[in-house]
Amino acid sequence: MTSIAVTDEMALEVLYANLREVLSPSQVLTSERATQRYRQGIKIGGGAACAVAIPHTLLEFWRVLEVCVAHDKIILVQAANTGLTGGSTPDGVNYDRDIVIISTLKLDKLILLGEGEQVIACAGATLYQLEDALKPIKRGPHSVIGSSCIGASVVGGVCNNSGGNLVNRGPAYTELSLFAEVTEAGELRLVNHLGVELGDTPEEIFNNLERGQLGRDSAFDIEAYASDREYQDRVRNIDADTPARFNADKRRLFESSGCAGKLAVFAVRLDTFAEPQNEQVFYLGTNDPEEFTELRKRILTELSDLPDMVEYMHRSYFDGSAVYAKDTYIFINLLGTAFLPKLFALKAKVDGLFSRIPFIPANVADHCLQLFSKLWPNHLPKRMLAYRDRFEHYLMIKASDQSIVDINKLLQDYYGPELQQRSDRQGEWFWCTEKEGDAAQLHRFVAGGASGRYAIIHSDEVEGLMPLDIALPRNTDNWHQLLSQDTLDKLAAPYELSHFLCMVFHWDFVVKKGVDIPALKQQILNELDDIGAKYPAEHNVGHLYEAEPDLADFYQSLDPTNSFNAGVGKMSKCKHYH
């Protein structure tokens, strides 16, 4: 499955030789086993590629692009391969040209600007790295360790308009980036819109950037945005019949921002944010979700300082995370987030090693990790588990500084004092200890991997995975009643969670055996169209969703020859979109 067999073997050998002229032989992978981890998505998606190139410098990245354009190959730039909609990998084999995947994870340079108010992040830098780099100066990035995709890259987040769970910071967005495009005439062109002087030639630009030799790094007076400064105002408009954010929103499509891989992005420049003095997690449970609806409205309209994060989780996802993401929770808790890329790489090697042995099941690493997690003692605090038994719906509110006082007052007014339920309410809340707060956040952040693990472990019993990434209108009150019982009856595991203040929901549905997944998905999307929902909300269209006209036009304007990530958004996979 490695080659699409579009090009004859002799031409491929010339391509491989040219790639090895700009990279070492070990940086060019061509065998099916060696390329598997790059061709296969973490949840869905996968296809053929004739080669994987792994540049170690930005200049090598540029040289690989030159080779690919000269050989008329489709270019798929990939960082951590944590995409949830298949957009980080090829999609099947029905392309008119071979695909070369360029892995950028080695290109992880970070440069702090000024006193750390902004950062330039190169193509492979991850949120882990950025968080660690900012901690000593008490600042933070736009997002935290992937609410749905642990290990995500900074550039990947910008290209997909990801994030937004940190309400006061907004989703990833910038108008300042360094990228390569292929023009209508088929020429590769380098564009420096970082707002810093780096030189004139690719050699000068990339060498100066990697050395941190910036002509001027104090251009904070430029008008270009390096974050979504208007996000809080949009979220607070609870009467609007449109979503707060979604991938096809023209207001937040600009060059690398939202490009979905239709450009080769070398680096982005982003704002960073001052960390609060104090933080506090509140944990809520209820059997009446309308209580959460009312709380959301009061938070957004009554509080001058919004909490940092308000995350909703249904009992289905609580259980899924507790059982099928337990090993990830344990590894992060014991070894920190920096260990996870090594774990993922080890999993890929193990799966590749055993993939050709007939009696060994696919995804053997996941089966082994799941067995390990069963042997590990319970990892969640008792009060969280007690709420799980009593309540069906949960909110985790992370507040800081003044919002701690405001949230505490609001909860006492609405539910009564801590752990003392009002007779006219079905819910309760508690003020988390530091250990409980850390556990609640980590339980939520690892949850995104639960549905994929469930589908792997129960592969004989389920038809497959159907992840949906939905942005509901800001005036939606019946968010908990959108799916019919007929739909729910077709699901083996209806995992549901959301970034609650902005009404962005992640439905990671595991579908029962025998159910027609495309038909079921279309049925759900038709119902969502009727209420003005938008999809996807923050994971980009990938190969799961059809790009709306505005988004399709944006992709074609960036990449008129369809040289980058062809087929994304269910668009044509052919050259010039023919």
Side-chain angles (χ1 to χ4, degrees):
M1 193 177 184
T2 305
S3 175
I4 309 172
V6 173
T7 311
D8 61 49
E9 289 299 320
M10 184 175 295
L12 281 177
E13 288 303 321
V14 175
L15 169 70
Y16 298 154
N18 291 162
L19 288 173
R20 289 170 181 137
E21 287 175 4
V22 298
L23 304 176
S24 70
S26 63
Q27 292 171 256
V28 181
L29 311 179
T30 58
S31 72
E32 184 170 339
R33 179 180 296 182
T35 60
Q36 180 180 0
R37 60 178 288 202
Y38 303 92
R39 294 185 290 104
Q40 187 68 41
I42 62 165
K43 278 195 176 182
I44 65 161
C50 68
V52 174
I54 310 174
H56 290 180
T57 67
L58 293 174
L59 185 58
E60 286 184 347
F61 185 4
W62 171 257
R63 297 298 186 216
V64 171
L65 290 173
E66 289 182 313
V67 171
C68 292
V69 171
H71 283 264
D72 196 22
K73 302 304 178 191
I74 294 171
I75 301 162
L76 201 162
V77 181
Q78 180 188 96
N81 191 14
T82 59
L84 302 181
T85 57
S88 299
T89 59
D91 177 45
V93 298
N94 55 329
Y95 293 84
D96 66 339
R97 293 152 292 164
D98 296 309
I99 294 175
V100 175
I101 298 172
I102 304 177
S103 173
T104 64
L105 275 183
K106 298 291 185 181
L107 312 176
D108 58 359
K109 177 80 173 179
L110 290 170
I111 302 171
L112 298 183
L113 303 180
E115 299 299 319
E117 300 97 330
Q118 290 188 334
V119 64
I120 292 177
C122 290
T126 66
L127 278 172
Y128 300 143
Q129 294 171 270
L130 184 52
E131 283 185 276
D132 287 343
L134 294 174
K135 278 179 183 176
I137 58 173
K138 296 184 178 180
R139 298 189 71 84
H142 78 277
S143 190
V144 288
I145 57 164
S147 59
S148 298
C149 42
I150 294 200
S153 68
V154 177
V155 167
V158 170
C159 293
N160 293 313
N161 292 137
S162 300
N165 61 324
L166 294 182
V167 185
N168 295 309
R169 304 180 187 183
Y173 179 75
T174 188
E175 296 167 0
L176 299 162
S177 60
L178 173 66
F179 60 89
E181 62 182 4
V182 175
T183 67
E184 181 73 51
E187 298 174 347
L188 185 67
R189 189 169 79 101
L190 184 61
V191 179
N192 177 16
H193 286 170
L194 278 175
V196 292
E197 295 173 359
L198 295 167
D200 299 317
T201 68
E203 290 81 1
E204 290 175 340
I205 290 171
F206 296 129
N207 288 334
N208 285 333
L209 182 58
E210 289 191 313
R211 294 170 184 164
Q213 296 176 348
L214 312 181
R216 55 186 180 95
D217 65 351
S218 58
F220 294 108
D221 57 343
I222 55 179
E223 294 183 0
Y225 282 17
S227 62
D228 189 347
R229 304 171 192 169
E230 302 164 347
Y231 185 61
Q232 279 195 50
D233 292 335
R234 292 205 304 275
V235 172
R236 286 184 183 272
N237 186 2
I238 62 172
D239 296 322
D241 59 2
T242 57
R245 59 188 172 99
F246 56 99
N247 281 126
D249 186 351
K250 289 194 294 185
R251 293 173 301 181
R252 289 297 173 259
L253 297 176
F254 187 88
E255 295 181 344
S256 62
S257 292
C259 74
K262 300 301 283 181
L263 298 170
V265 182
F266 294 91
V268 295
R269 177 172 168 178
L270 294 164
D271 289 332
T272 68
F273 301 85
E275 291 290 355
Q277 297 294 315
N278 300 290
E279 295 180 327
Q280 178 59 48
V281 174
F282 301 87
Y283 201 80
L284 289 68
T286 188
N287 290 313
D288 180 5
E290 292 183 6
E291 293 179 355
F292 287 173
T293 301
E294 186 174 347
L295 276 174
R296 171 180 174 267
K297 292 180 178 180
R298 292 188 60 178
I299 289 171
L300 290 172
T301 59
E302 296 178 11
L303 304 190
S304 57
D305 293 323
L306 293 179
D308 300 293
M309 189 190 308
V310 180
E311 296 291 290
Y312 165 78
M313 182 180 284
H314 185 263
R315 180 185 281 161
S316 60
Y317 230 135
F318 184 104
D319 291 346
S321 183
V323 176
Y324 297 103
K326 183 178 178 181
D327 55 296
T328 306
Y329 180 107
I330 293 166
F331 282 123
I332 292 177
N333 202 39
L334 293 178
L335 303 172
T337 55
F339 175 74
L340 284 186
K342 299 176 183 177
L343 175 64
F344 294 153
L346 179 60
K347 280 178 57 179
K349 288 182 180 179
V350 170
D351 287 339
L353 183 64
F354 287 97
S355 62
R356 295 187 177 183
I357 303 177
F359 58 87
I360 298 293
N363 305 110
V364 64
D366 282 281
H367 286 273
C368 293
L369 288 170
Q370 189 60 30
L371 178 61
F372 157 77
S373 68
K374 285 184 178 180
L375 301 176
W376 196 270
N378 174 60
H379 60 298
L380 295 176
K382 292 180 179 179
R383 288 204 287 184
M384 284 177 60
L385 292 172
Y387 268 38
R388 182 265 167 226
D389 293 338
R390 295 176 53 208
F391 303 117
E392 184 180 358
H393 308 274
Y394 321 101
L395 273 189
M396 180 192 70
I397 302 177
K398 183 179 181 182
S400 61
D401 298 337
Q402 180 58 40
S403 69
I404 297 175
V405 178
D406 296 340
I407 290 292
N408 185 55
K409 183 177 183 299
L410 176 60
L411 293 179
Q412 291 201 45
D413 176 62
Y414 191 77
Y415 280 123
E418 185 179 7
L419 303 177
Q420 296 180 35
Q421 180 179 342
R422 273 176 48 173
S423 60
D424 58 338
R425 306 284 189 221
Q426 293 194 34
E428 287 184 11
W429 65 281
F430 64 86
W431 176 295
C432 292
T433 64
E434 183 178 353
K435 185 176 181 180
E436 289 171 332
D438 290 344
Q441 292 179 80
L442 188 51
H443 183 62
R444 166 62 184 88
F445 290 135
V446 302
S451 56
R453 175 67 64 79
Y454 182 103
I456 289 171
I457 300 302
H458 300 279
S459 58
D460 294 338
E461 308 164 25
V462 303
E463 191 65 28
L465 186 62
M466 185 177 67
L468 294 168
D469 175 26
I470 309 300
L472 300 180
R474 283 163 280 180
N475 63 355
T476 302
D477 289 343
N478 64 334
W479 52 270
H480 50 90
Q481 297 174 326
L482 294 176
L483 299 176
S484 66
Q485 191 58 49
D486 175 64
T487 297
L488 294 172
D489 288 342
K490 296 174 182 177
L491 305 177
Y495 294 157
E496 301 174 52
L497 48 76
S498 82
H499 309 311
F500 196 59
L501 292 187
C502 55
M503 287 280 100
V504 166
F505 279 75
H506 300 305
W507 295 339
D508 290 336
F509 296 155
V510 184
V511 181
K512 289 181 179 178
K513 200 75 171 177
V515 173
D516 185 337
I517 292 181
L520 177 61
K521 178 184 174 184
Q522 193 57 54
Q523 174 187 330
I524 294 173
L525 295 184
N526 289 342
E527 294 174 359
L528 291 169
D529 288 339
D530 291 340
I531 65 169
K534 292 289 187 179
Y535 45 84
E538 61 175 356
H539 293 156
N540 227 311
V541 288
H543 297 290
L544 278 184
Y545 301 93
E546 183 176 344
E548 292 186 14
D550 287 340
L551 191 58
D553 289 345
F554 176 64
Y555 292 159
Q556 287 191 257
S557 70
L558 296 178
D559 181 25
T561 63
N562 205 14
S563 297
F564 292 102
N565 208 6
V568 69
K570 296 188 179 293
M571 296 172 68
S572 170
K573 294 180 177 178
C574 299
K575 192 168 183 179
H576 294 288
Y577 303 92
H578 294 323

